[in-house]
């Protein structure tokens, strides 16, 4: 029985449309990577995906000094729809934000939505860097649907526009529910939001606004105080486990 994913081939995210017989000219950075780092030659194989057309096997047709062209051959996996998990988070600084974005991609986030809270430590968000981390994580972990990265917005605005029918889970150290899976069970089969606050937590007014939402789900991550990036991984794992559990019934 063969493995579900091919982790031995080089995978690249491209913007071009993918179909059998299509010719794709790689961007400068990707061309340099194949030509000078991996030492690709004409005829070498790789995998391509663009988040729309599935994953495709391709081969290099031309490896020149200033361009690398690949030809698309056959689909290896059909496109999967976005997961429906909106991941809202207070931005962190530099390397910790890189880590959190990469792990969110690996853990199945469908969209990444930075929200600015009253205690957010990083006031500026480098969206290009975030998108680069999304692509890198998707290439490395076999993801076909690269999550969309949205512009930052104030938490109050995000909560004010939140659809009443969509559950919004947030990690609440004061949550009475000891079993987070019990809190999520039956509420995660469709669209859902997951909100991770800043270091230091939400301020009282923000927490009160969250608790007023009709669809809010309070999650307890246990007795320990977790860093925001650690809490993100733990909470996303819970959401995905609950979604898998709901799908089995």
């Amino acid at each position: 029985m063969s493995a579900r994913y091919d982790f031995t081939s080089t995978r690249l995210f491209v913007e071009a449309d993918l179909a059998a017989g299509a010719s794709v000219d790689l961007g400068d950075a990707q061309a340099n990577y194949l030509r000078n780092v991996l030492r690709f030659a004409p005829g070498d194989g790789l995998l391509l995906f663009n988040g729309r057309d599935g994953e495709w096997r391709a081969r290099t047709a031309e490896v020149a000094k200033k361009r690398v062209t690949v030809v698309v051959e056959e689909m290896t996996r059909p496109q999967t729809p976005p997961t429906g998990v909106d991941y809202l988070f207070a931005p962190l600084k530099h390397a910790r934000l890189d880590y959190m974005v990469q792990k969110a991609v690996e853990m199945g986030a469908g969209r990444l939505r930075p929200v600015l809270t009253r205690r957010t430590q990083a006031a500026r968000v480098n969206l290009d860097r975030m998108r680069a981390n999304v692509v890198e994580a998707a290439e490395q972990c076999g993801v076909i649907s690269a999550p969309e990265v949205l512009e930052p917005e104030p938490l109050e605005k995000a909560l004010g526009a939140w659809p009443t029918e969509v559950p919004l889970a947030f990690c609440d150290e004061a949550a009475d529910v000891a079993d987070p899976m019990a809190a999520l069970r039956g509420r995660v089969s469709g669209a859902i939001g997951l909100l991770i606050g800043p270091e230091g937590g939400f301020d009282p007014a923000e927490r009160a606004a969250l608790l007023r939402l009709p669809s809010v789900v309070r999650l307890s991550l246990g007795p320990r105080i977790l860093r925001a990036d650690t809490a993100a991984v733990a909470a996303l794992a819970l959401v995905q486990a609950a979604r898998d559990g709901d799908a089995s019934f």
Side-chain angles (χ1 to χ4, degrees):
M1 182 174 175
S2 60
R4 185 176 178 185
Y5 304 126
D6 177 359
F7 289 112
T8 62
S9 297
T10 298
R11 297 181 78 244
L12 293 181
F13 175 87
V14 296
E15 296 290 349
D17 294 336
L18 297 175
S23 179
V24 178
D25 289 331
L26 299 181
D28 291 344
Q30 292 177 326
N32 178 71
Y33 176 64
L34 292 188
R35 182 178 55 246
N36 297 322
V37 178
L38 298 184
R39 302 294 183 183
F40 262 50
D44 286 343
L46 69 161
L47 297 172
L48 302 179
F49 67 107
N50 60 11
R52 305 183 303 275
D53 301 321
E55 180 186 76
W56 292 76
R57 192 167 301 284
R59 292 197 178 277
T60 50
E62 179 183 3
V63 181
K65 184 176 182 180
K66 294 187 177 182
R67 65 182 292 180
V68 173
T69 302
V70 300
V71 174
V72 182
E73 295 184 336
E74 61 178 352
M75 179 181 288
T76 56
R77 285 189 285 162
Q79 186 61 46
T80 55
T83 63
V85 178
D86 271 21
Y87 174 49
L88 296 79
F89 59 95
L92 302 173
K93 294 182 179 179
H94 307 305
R96 290 181 61 196
L97 179 59
D98 294 345
Y99 171 86
M100 187 168 66
V101 168
Q102 292 165 2
K103 298 309 168 187
V105 175
E106 293 178 32
M107 299 300 296
R111 292 199 299 179
L112 305 184
R113 300 179 55 178
V115 292
L116 304 177
T117 71
R118 298 183 184 183
R119 294 175 179 168
T120 297
Q121 296 181 357
R124 300 181 63 183
V125 181
N126 187 332
L127 293 179
D128 289 339
R129 179 167 175 161
M130 282 184 59
R131 293 183 179 114
N133 275 295
V134 165
V135 168
E136 181 180 352
E139 289 176 342
Q140 292 180 357
C141 67
V143 170
I144 296 179
S145 296
E148 180 184 8
V149 178
L150 275 62
E151 294 282 342
E153 62 180 341
L155 176 62
E156 292 84 355
K157 182 178 179 181
L159 297 184
W162 192 258
T164 57
E165 72 279 7
V166 177
L168 178 62
F170 84 103
C171 297
D172 183 3
E173 61 271 15
D176 295 329
V177 179
D179 182 359
M181 292 295 288
L184 290 168
R185 192 169 295 121
R187 307 190 67 178
V188 295
S189 57
I192 185 173
L194 174 65
L195 171 63
I196 300 294
E199 302 293 340
F202 300 103
D203 86 344
E206 292 170 336
R207 189 170 177 277
L210 278 164
L211 295 177
R212 286 195 296 269
L213 291 177
S215 57
V216 73
V217 180
R218 300 166 67 194
L219 294 183
S220 169
L221 296 182
R224 297 178 179 84
I225 302 300
L226 304 180
R227 297 194 333 177
D229 45 346
T230 307
V233 175
L236 282 163
L238 287 171
V239 168
Q240 291 302 332
R243 288 169 72 87
D244 292 344
D246 282 355
S248 66
F249 290 102

